[in-house]
Amino acid sequence: MFGTNFQKKYALTDQGVQNTKKGTFWTVIVNLVVMGGVGILYLLMTDFMNMLTGENFPSDTILIIGLLILFVLLSFVTHLQQYKATYGLVYNEVKATRLSLAERLRKLPLGYFGKRDLADLTETIMGDVNRMEHVWSHVLGYLYGAYISTAIIAVCLFVYNWKLAIACLWGVPVAFGLLFGSKKIAARNSERTKKAAVLVSDGIQEALENVREIRATNQEARYLDGLNKKIDEHERITIQGELGTGIFVNAASVIMRLGVATTILAGAHLILSGSIDFMLLFMFLLVITRIYAPFDQSLALIAEMFVSQVSADRMNEIYNTPTVDGTETFEPKGHDIVFEHVGFSYDTKEVLHDVNFTAKEGEVTALVGPSGSGKSTCARLAARLWDISKGAIYVGGVDISTVNSEILLRDYSMVFQDVVLFDDTVMENIRLGKRSATDEEVRSAARAANCDEFVKRLPRGYDTPIGENGTKLSGGERQRISIARALLKDAPIVLLDEATASLDVENETKVQEALSHLLAGKTVLVIAHRMRTVEAADKIIVLADGQVAEEGTPADLMKKNGLYHRMVELQQQSAGWKLK
């Protein structure tokens, strides 16, 4: 019952399966204890009927009082244990699941995040886990406990009188059959609701991220109108889904409740025929009041379980995505980067084809070419941020596909055009390059990256919070913090992706000075659109249509009068452009 398929179906951790077993066990015990209370009530009513018929006061009064006291104590203890097993343990499961998903995401290749909407991933970690938390705490233990306890009680009822047992229980399988028949409809409605919710999240996130552009173009009304339509559509789809589920749940509940009527009719017939007495029918009616109670809850729980299956599938999709694995050791002989017949595809679209080149240690190797030629892709493949489709990439003679990406990246420093900073202080943003660095080491790296100049103007210096993604800093200041972070790490391989492309002349000069400290003696792979940025490179690789078109020193490539020469001439012509 609680095997591997069960675990995957409900996206449970190993501990979560154990928690479900405990919850189920205590739910069974609680249901049986409550049914024992029904038995005590039956004994009381039997004694009362004896008194009405003129018999002596029952001699088992002390026994019944003792049973009542025992029932109250057992009821308290078992309900407390059930609460702990179904709620208390599950809250830890939510924490463990979120950590497990985050850990899994940390190990996935970056290409995965390019295929998935970040708002969708956030919805999975927060919204889907919340939905599953309710299933884990309110559904699984109660539902499976109801199955088991009802099966035990049903056997007892059949022993007493099989005819009344059928009259009492026939509605249960019919009601559940109706609900299971609606499973596909519930899942389809849940999927539509989920997609509509993601569209709302996307719309809100897009509006917040682009608020300046929206205001600058006077598009507030249009964006708000579009967002309102998405919210209204989400509300409409949610109502439709809830209504569809509610119809089946209520229909199932009505069918199950018909068992009361059939029990009365069957019991009256059996009494008239002399097959049973009134007290047996009374006992069955008492049992019905309790046997239907857990199923009343279970009917709604099963509907919720059907809906939650979409959330579980989305969580399992993350768990089932292959991680970037490899050995925990990386001992290269030097740090030359060698591409051998490398191919790479985004889904079915081939981006790189048979790429071969070497970036030598101690040299600056520049990747240039038209937009979409594969420059940034090569840099990311060199650091195993994505895995190649064909060929091999070696660093110091070691195939990087065999090395755990986290271990591999200890030898890499990366400075990208789009700098990512955290909502923390300048000090902590730089220290990200080396978590064990002292404050003085951080300041030394900052000085080398020309950060000291602007940090001194901040209200609290290096302890000044810089806002979300460094919103309180200029583009050049953010870029220099990124370089300071790379300097602090002091890795033997440096990847630069358009590190100065968006800067003004003054900031570009300062960033280039900072880069000169970073690049000395390292294996450097530079991606650039500005040809003057790579004039001093030791070697230039010219990419076109995902292949190496030219390779050589800047001087040699200019003599060839090929693609590199044409790109240089075009940029020189554009540099002379002016307003007329």
Side-chain angles (χ1 to χ4, degrees):
M1 182 186 295
F2 299 107
T4 303
N5 290 336
F6 175 87
Q7 182 175 2
K8 289 182 178 179
K9 184 176 182 179
Y10 299 112
L12 287 162
T13 64
D14 292 337
Q15 186 58 48
V17 174
Q18 297 303 316
N19 295 344
T20 302
K21 290 180 180 178
K22 292 177 182 178
T24 300
F25 171 78
W26 283 110
T27 299
V28 171
I29 299 300
V30 164
N31 288 342
L32 294 179
V33 168
V34 172
M35 196 58 68
V38 172
I40 295 172
L41 182 58
Y42 172 73
L43 291 176
L44 285 171
M45 288 302 299
T46 301
D47 286 345
F48 180 71
M49 292 297 294
N50 290 336
M51 290 175 61
L52 290 178
T53 57
E55 297 184 15
N56 295 329
F57 191 79
S59 59
D60 56 356
T61 304
I62 296 176
L63 174 63
I64 293 177
I65 293 174
L67 288 174
L68 281 172
I69 295 172
L70 180 61
F71 168 74
V72 171
L73 290 175
L74 284 176
S75 183
F76 174 78
V77 172
T78 55
H79 275 88
L80 179 62
Q81 292 299 320
Q82 183 193 33
Y83 179 86
K84 290 180 179 179
T86 53
Y87 295 105
L89 294 177
V90 164
Y91 295 141
N92 290 328
E93 174 71 5
V94 173
K95 173 184 174 183
T97 299
R98 285 205 173 102
L99 289 174
S100 175
L101 286 171
E103 180 68 12
R104 187 74 182 186
L105 288 172
R106 184 176 66 84
K107 295 180 179 180
L108 295 181
L110 284 186
Y112 174 82
F113 298 94
K115 300 174 185 177
R116 288 290 301 270
D117 188 289
L118 293 182
D120 193 26
L121 286 176
T122 302
E123 174 66 17
T124 297
I125 296 174
M126 301 305 295
D128 289 331
V129 173
N130 273 344
R131 290 179 186 87
M132 294 309 301
E133 177 270 325
H134 197 265
V135 171
W136 299 330
S137 61
H138 291 72
V139 179
L140 295 182
Y142 284 97
L143 183 60
Y144 285 92
Y147 286 158
I148 295 171
S149 60
T150 301
I152 295 172
I153 295 167
V155 170
C156 296
L157 293 180
F158 272 92
V159 169
Y160 269 96
N161 189 289
W162 66 270
K163 294 179 180 179
L164 279 181
I166 292 175
C168 175
L169 297 172
W170 71 269
V172 174
V174 175
F176 277 87
L178 177 64
L179 269 186
F180 277 99
S182 69
K183 183 177 181 179
K184 290 184 179 180
I185 297 174
R188 185 166 63 248
N189 289 336
S190 178
E191 181 66 30
R192 292 178 63 220
T193 302
K194 178 67 63 179
K195 289 180 179 179
V198 170
L199 286 176
V200 171
S201 297
D202 278 341
I204 293 172
Q205 182 176 330
E206 182 183 49
L208 291 174
E209 289 178 348
N210 298 288
V211 63
R212 286 178 295 184
E213 288 76 8
I214 292 172
R215 288 187 177 181
T217 54
N218 295 322
Q219 296 295 316
E220 296 99 322
R222 186 175 70 86
Y223 262 86
L224 287 176
D225 182 59
L227 188 56
N228 284 332
K229 288 180 180 178
K230 291 178 181 178
I231 294 173
D232 290 342
E233 179 68 6
H234 177 228
E235 181 181 7
R236 184 185 66 80
I237 292 174
T238 301
I239 291 173
Q240 285 182 351
E242 292 287 346
L243 180 61
T245 302
I247 289 173
F248 284 103
V249 169
N250 287 305
S253 181
V254 169
I255 290 173
M256 191 173 64
R257 288 292 179 185
L258 290 175
V260 177
T262 55
T263 301
I264 293 173
L265 292 173
H269 174 73
L270 292 173
I271 289 174
L272 292 174
S273 65
S275 300
I276 64 171
D277 59 17
F278 172 77
M279 289 307 299
L280 183 62
L281 173 59
F282 177 74
M283 184 191 74
F284 267 83
L285 291 176
L286 285 178
V287 170
I288 286 177
T289 63
R290 279 307 311 156
I291 204 170
Y292 287 167
F295 279 116
D296 277 339
Q297 185 180 14
S298 298
L299 290 172
L301 296 182
I302 285 183
E304 182 176 358
M305 198 164 62
F306 293 161
V307 171
S308 71
Q309 195 60 58
V310 175
S311 294
D313 290 342
R314 286 157 55 86
M315 292 164 63
N316 283 325
E317 191 272 336
I318 295 177
Y319 286 128
N320 295 334
T321 301
T323 57
V324 182
D325 298 318
T327 63
E328 298 298 318
T329 58
F330 179 50
E331 298 175 353
K333 297 177 181 177
H335 287 87
D336 288 358
I337 300 175
V338 180
F339 276 58
E340 285 190 359
H341 307 290
V342 170
F344 178 74
S345 300
Y346 289 112
D347 294 326
T348 57
K349 181 183 178 182
E350 190 176 51
V351 179
L352 297 179
H353 174 69
D354 198 29
V355 173
N356 297 274
F357 68 85
T358 299
K360 293 185 177 180
E361 186 173 10
E363 293 185 357
V364 175
T365 303
L367 299 176
V368 302
S371 295
S373 58
K375 305 183 295 297
S376 295
T377 301
C378 283
R380 284 160 172 74
L381 293 176
R384 207 192 171 191
L385 300 181
W386 297 326
D387 274 334
I388 59 177
S389 305
K390 298 177 183 177
I393 300 174
Y394 299 93
V395 172
V398 177
D399 186 344
I400 65 172
S401 66
T402 65
V403 182
N404 183 295
S405 61
E406 291 187 2
I407 303 299
L408 180 71
L409 287 174
R410 292 176 183 174
D411 282 18
Y412 287 75
S413 290
M414 289 173 275
V415 181
F416 297 116
Q417 179 182 359
D418 298 324
V419 179
V420 176
L421 299 178
F422 293 89
D423 189 5
D424 207 334
T425 63
V426 175
M427 178 75 72
E428 294 306 315
N429 268 283
I430 296 175
R431 204 196 303 274
L432 192 65
K434 181 182 177 184
R435 298 303 302 169
S436 61
T438 64
D439 288 356
E440 183 51 41
E441 287 176 322
V442 172
R443 290 190 180 93
S444 178
R447 285 191 291 270
N450 288 332
C451 294
D452 228 25
E453 167 202 345
F454 72 84
V455 172
K456 288 178 180 177
R457 298 195 302 266
L458 298 175
R460 293 164 54 188
Y462 285 94
D463 294 324
T464 304
I466 59 176
E468 186 177 356
N469 204 24
T471 53
K472 297 180 181 179
L473 304 177
S474 69
E477 291 167 348
R478 295 170 66 249
Q479 194 66 268
R480 277 179 273 172
I481 286 181
S482 176
I483 293 170
R485 184 188 290 170
L487 282 167
L488 185 63
K489 187 174 184 180
D490 194 28
I493 299 174
V494 179
L495 303 180
L496 301 175
D497 188 353
E498 292 293 343
T500 63
S502 60
L503 303 179
D504 55 50
V505 176
E506 181 180 358
N507 272 311
E508 183 178 7
T509 301
K510 291 177 180 178
V511 168
Q512 286 174 341
E513 290 175 5
L515 287 173
S516 65
H517 294 283
L518 175 63
L519 305 182
K522 309 291 178 64
T523 303
V524 182
L525 202 59
V526 180
I527 300 168
H529 287 296
R530 298 178 182 177
M531 296 301 102
R532 62 184 179 84
T533 306
V534 297
E535 288 175 351
D538 297 290
K539 181 165 63 174
I540 293 178
I541 309 296
V542 183
L543 293 170
D545 298 323
Q547 293 180 295
V548 176
E550 297 173 358
E551 181 178 351
T553 65
D556 290 340
L557 292 180
M558 287 299 291
K559 293 176 183 177
K560 288 183 179 179
N561 202 29
L563 179 58
Y564 177 76
H565 183 272
R566 184 159 60 87
M567 292 173 66
V568 172
E569 283 190 337
L570 287 172
Q571 290 206 359
Q572 287 175 345
Q573 292 173 12
S574 65
W577 178 85
K578 59 184 178 180
L579 290 171
K580 296 182 180 179

